Amino acid sequence: MSTPMLETKGISKAFPGTQALLDVSFQVLPGEVHALVGENGAGKSTLMHILSGVLEPDSGETLIQGDKVKIHHPKEAQDLGIGTVFQELSLIPNLSVAENVFPNRAPTRGGGLVNWGELYSRTEDLIEPFQVDINPKTLVRHLNVSAKQIVEIAKALSLEAKILLLDEPTAALSPDEVQILFKLIRHLKEGGLAIVFISHRVQEIFEIADRVTI
């Protein structure tokens, strides 16, 4: 078996009156979709927040490609190659697709001005493999839910993510939109990404996941 792209060992996290996580260990390999399932309140989203740097664990350790890491902030998670798409999307409706894909990271030309041509071109390059018609200049508020999911994933990939955390990405999607998303996931998997997929829908788990942790 290859070295896990991401691994947790003994992760625990408690909040006042609640033990959200207790001794959680799992791993996801390169080019694998690993599903996390459990009842509401089981701690799945808490684990995603820990891995993405939003929360810190009370105990346990995280490894990236076999190396122990400390993640204290979302920027540190991004620098380690972890991209996260939360159930509540974090896009800015009144900005364009391109501006959302590269928030505060737009390429510039002399004088610090945004190089709009390069920004749109780089955004197109990220979206093109998904084989969908999304114009980088379109305001996000004009997109449907599945297109917004694609923009969120493109934003994660713009950070050169090696690990993609998807927290209930199908919750607000129609069956057709779910199939579009699954097509994207399979494409990313073929590219070697390690993908953590959270869903309450058992049929989806059987369709898309290589392994499951309950």
Side-chain angles (χ1 to χ4, degrees):
M1 180 181 292
S2 61
T3 301
M5 185 68 76
L6 169 68
E7 184 174 9
T8 68
K9 295 182 178 180
I11 296 289
S12 295
K13 179 68 177 179
F15 300 103
T18 302
Q19 184 71 49
L21 296 171
L22 181 61
D23 196 27
V24 173
S25 300
F26 90 109
Q27 58 181 227
V28 56
L29 303 174
E32 177 186 45
V33 179
H34 192 131
L36 290 183
V37 300
E39 296 180 352
N40 287 329
K44 303 182 300 298
S45 292
T46 299
L47 182 59
M48 294 301 98
H49 280 87
I50 288 172
L51 294 175
S52 61
V54 177
L55 296 172
E56 293 190 41
D58 297 330
S59 61
E61 59 187 29
T62 301
L63 297 87
I64 304 291
Q65 293 182 292
D67 296 325
K68 293 181 183 179
V69 298
K70 295 289 186 180
I71 306 174
H72 304 289
H73 188 274
K75 180 63 165 57
E76 293 179 348
Q78 293 172 2
D79 290 343
L80 289 167
I82 300 174
T84 307
V85 178
F86 292 110
Q87 186 174 354
E88 298 296 330
L89 301 182
S90 59
L91 302 176
I92 302 174
N94 291 325
L95 292 183
S96 69
V97 167
E99 290 169 299
N100 273 278
V101 170
F102 291 93
N104 301 314
R105 294 182 289 108
T108 58
R109 60 174 82 248
L113 299 175
V114 174
N115 185 333
W116 293 102
E118 183 179 351
L119 175 63
Y120 295 141
S121 176
R122 288 173 63 181
T123 302
E124 286 178 346
D125 288 344
L126 286 167
I127 293 175
E128 189 274 333
F130 300 149
Q131 299 179 8
V132 292
D133 184 18
I134 298 177
N135 190 322
K137 299 179 182 180
T138 299
L139 297 182
V140 162
R141 70 168 184 261
H142 297 311
L143 301 179
N144 61 27
V145 177
S146 62
K148 290 177 182 177
Q149 290 277 13
I150 292 170
V151 174
E152 282 279 17
I153 293 172
K155 181 169 68 173
L157 298 179
S158 76
L159 297 163
E160 299 184 355
K162 299 175 294 185
I163 301 157
L164 187 61
L165 312 178
L166 300 175
D167 189 1
E168 298 201 44
T170 63
L173 301 184
S174 70
D176 287 343
E177 290 171 332
V178 168
Q179 291 307 311
I180 293 172
L181 176 63
F182 282 5
K183 182 178 180 180
L184 306 184
I185 290 174
R186 293 185 182 102
H187 172 79
L188 296 173
K189 171 185 169 180
E190 290 172 359
L193 260 71
I195 300 169
V196 179
F197 180 85
I198 294 178
S199 177
H200 287 288
R201 301 172 180 175
V202 175
Q203 182 177 350
E204 292 180 355
I205 299 300
F206 281 108
E207 181 175 351
I208 198 66
D210 299 298
R211 286 194 293 162
V212 178
T213 293
I214 299 174

